[in-house]
Amino acid sequence: MFDGKLLTLCLTSIAIVLVSGFVQVSYGSYSMTFTQAWRAVLDTTVLLDHRWLLNFLVGEDLMRTITGFQGELPELSTETIIVWNIRLPRVLVAVLVGMNLSVSGAIFQAVTRNELASPFILGVSSGAGLMILLVLVVFSGLSAILPLVASIGGALAFLLVYAIAWKNGTSPVRLVLAGVIVGTVFGSLQTGLFFFADDIGVVQEAIAWTSGSLTGVDWQQVRMALPWSVVAMLLAVISSRQMNVLLLGERTASSLGMSVERVRFALSGIAVIAAAASIAVAGIVGFVGLIVPHMVRNIVGSDYRRLVVGCMFAGPALMVAADVGARLALNPVQIPVGIVTGLIGGPYFLYLMRKKQELGEL
């Protein structure tokens, strides 16, 4: 599965994540030198104490339940507290979001056999975002289960897309066109929800969700997205062979014994889980699921056994780097990371449209 180009891509992506992440943890309202930031990241008080690591990864209550520890944790320096409590979780969330959106986009491109497909284009992002806004504006008591709510919204949106595209089966182009229709309608409903929000704070939070933002994320968001991400990535890797068969065309896949509609539906479910996990913690970040699979495909080819792995590394690199730009470009003002990815993805989407000569038949 691994080859030289894929290995180079993965190592380069890891380097970008490390460099961008180090820049991210070094700058902020509390100033510290690179040396101080580096020492905080590698603070042995945290790294060599499983209680602190569990405290961050699973929360204090569960940590105490697992370890039986009831005393006070060792004291941390101010720099370590800021880096580990505020800045490092933002990098980790960016990694998870980039990974999920990229792999989700790659799966949707296999399902539709169209390089222009993505969670954003197929309406999944809009459906998940609409459900999250409903929770924020109307059902605030459900905020603890945002990933589940987002998954339900994304699944309902894709079911609607599937129903609209169905005509004795589905076709790749009808799925894309139905996705654009559903995404437009759900986007309008999202805008309409703003008129029912009386609290200006809720409105600002909702705008951040629809723009895609990592401002203010912490370990709670890491814990929220991590389990869903692990499940989605494992299923995506396991299903890579089925995606390769789908690329051969429906007739060929059927002749090889594949139940095309069932496999297409199951793969779409994996893509919805991955997209929903990212939307639940970062809002609607556009174009990552579109441009990353295409970039990776240009490097490692169309074999999904390599493409999925490449997206798992390249997606975080793009997302972490974009978030650094969103945070530092207009310092001290932080802009939503979705604006940065949109500025990158919009022109690239136009390039893809002009490059792709044949979309298929309706």
Side-chain angles (χ1 to χ4, degrees):
M1 181 173 64
F2 283 94
D3 60 11
K5 292 182 179 179
L6 178 59
L7 182 60
T8 300
L9 172 66
C10 294
L11 293 177
T12 302
S13 298
I14 291 173
I16 293 173
V17 169
L18 291 176
V19 172
S20 301
F22 186 64
V23 171
Q24 189 74 292
V25 301
S26 300
Y27 289 96
S29 56
Y30 182 92
S31 61
M32 64 179 75
T33 65
F34 283 107
T35 302
Q36 288 175 314
W38 182 251
R39 287 176 178 171
V41 172
L42 299 179
D43 192 338
T44 55
T45 307
V46 175
L47 294 179
L48 299 182
D49 191 334
H50 68 283
R51 296 168 301 179
W52 265 120
L53 293 176
L54 285 173
N55 182 72
F56 290 129
L57 288 174
V58 301
E60 182 177 353
D61 293 338
L62 188 54
M63 178 275 292
R64 293 186 182 279
T65 300
I66 294 173
T67 62
F69 178 74
Q70 299 301 325
E72 293 293 328
L73 289 169
E75 187 175 350
L76 302 178
S77 67
T78 302
E79 289 79 9
T80 301
I81 292 174
I82 291 173
V83 166
W84 277 86
N85 271 329
I86 300 174
R87 298 179 182 176
L88 191 58
R90 180 166 179 161
V91 176
L92 296 178
V93 171
V95 167
L96 294 175
V97 170
M99 183 184 300
N100 282 317
L101 289 179
S102 301
V103 172
S104 179
I107 294 174
F108 278 129
Q109 288 172 15
V111 167
T112 62
R113 287 190 289 116
N114 192 321
E115 294 178 9
L116 303 183
S118 72
F120 189 79
I121 300 298
L122 289 175
V124 174
S125 295
S126 297
L130 177 61
M131 290 296 289
I132 288 176
L133 283 180
L134 277 172
V135 169
L136 294 176
V137 176
V138 183
F139 305 107
S140 57
L142 299 177
S143 58
I145 55 171
L146 277 183
L148 179 60
V149 171
S151 296
I152 293 173
L156 290 176
F158 193 75
L159 285 174
L160 183 57
V161 168
Y162 221 82
I164 294 173
W166 185 271
K167 185 180 179 182
N168 297 322
T170 60
S171 74
V173 176
R174 286 206 303 271
L175 283 172
V176 172
L177 294 178
V180 172
I181 295 170
V182 171
T184 301
V185 173
F186 280 17
S188 299
L189 291 175
Q190 288 178 28
T191 304
L193 279 177
F194 290 138
F195 293 97
F196 295 94
D198 297 326
D199 188 347
I200 188 64
V202 172
V203 173
Q204 291 176 339
E205 186 177 1
I207 291 174
W209 278 106
T210 55
S211 302
S213 176
L214 295 177
T215 303
V217 299
D218 55 23
W219 284 102
Q220 180 180 354
Q221 280 71 40
V222 176
R223 294 190 289 266
M224 194 181 291
L226 184 59
W228 299 78
S229 303
V230 171
V231 171
M233 296 306 105
L234 287 175
L235 292 175
V237 171
I238 293 171
S239 304
S240 58
R241 292 182 181 273
Q242 282 73 23
M243 296 183 222
N244 281 336
V245 176
L246 277 182
L247 293 179
L248 300 175
E250 295 181 11
R251 292 183 180 179
T252 303
S254 297
S255 68
L256 293 174
M258 174 181 283
S259 177
V260 174
E261 291 300 335
R262 288 184 180 179
V263 171
R264 182 181 283 165
F265 197 78
L267 290 173
S268 299
I270 298 172
V272 167
I273 292 173
S278 69
I279 294 169
V281 296
I284 302 174
V285 181
F287 291 108
V288 175
L290 171 67
I291 62 178
V292 172
H294 187 76
M295 290 177 174
V296 174
R297 189 179 289 109
N298 286 339
I299 297 173
V300 304
S302 299
D303 187 341
Y304 265 78
R305 290 173 299 177
R306 296 184 179 91
L307 183 62
V308 169
V309 174
C311 286
M312 291 171 64
F313 285 86
L318 173 64
M319 194 67 191
V320 175
D323 191 42
V324 171
R327 185 169 176 233
L328 300 180
L330 300 178
N331 191 44
V333 177
Q334 297 187 37
I335 61 177
V337 68
I339 293 177
V340 177
T341 59
L343 290 174
I344 298 172
Y348 198 84
F349 183 65
L350 178 61
Y351 159 74
L352 287 182
M353 288 182 63
R354 291 189 174 276
K355 181 181 178 182
K356 195 167 180 62
Q357 297 296 322
E358 187 175 332
L359 292 175
E361 294 183 2
L362 293 174

